[in-house]
Amino acid sequence: MNISGERISFALFIFSALVYIIFMFGNVDLFPGQIILIILTVFPIIGLILAFSSKGGGFMKVISIIGNLAVLMIAVIVPVIVTTFFWNQP
């Protein structure tokens, strides 16, 4: 059984998205706070690297790139920009 980078990237996207949705909208603590941050930053970055380096150019690759970018933007980049530039006073 050959598992390609596209499939691993897609699985990382699905896992990161589910963890983010459960973390934000559910009242369930799946992991401690630091582990959530690692999952929501490292997994999409690894997923992007795997998706861009995979040889196939199919639908799964496109969904993996868009999905991992979306999780990274929503969970990491937008909150950092907002707290740094706009919401910097108590």
Side-chain angles (χ1 to χ4, degrees):
M1 185 164 108
N2 188 8
I3 298 177
S4 66
E6 294 174 351
R7 292 181 187 203
I8 296 171
S9 176
F10 186 75
L12 288 173
F13 156 60
I14 294 295
F15 180 72
S16 299
L18 288 176
V19 166
Y20 180 72
I21 289 170
I22 292 170
F23 175 69
M24 289 302 290
F25 301 114
N27 291 328
V28 180
D29 287 334
L30 296 174
F31 305 103
Q34 299 296 327
I35 303 297
I36 290 286
L37 292 175
I38 291 171
I39 289 173
L40 294 178
T41 55
V42 174
F43 282 12
I45 291 171
I46 292 171
L48 282 171
I49 292 169
L50 287 174
F52 280 123
S53 66
S54 66
K55 294 181 180 166
F59 181 70
M60 221 171 189
K61 180 177 180 174
V62 173
I63 293 299
S64 299
I65 291 171
I66 293 171
N68 282 316
L69 276 174
V71 169
L72 197 61
M73 289 290 292
I74 292 170
V76 178
I77 295 173
V78 170
V80 167
I81 289 172
V82 167
T83 56
T84 302
F85 297 112
F86 300 110
W87 191 12
N88 54 8
Q89 296 178 3

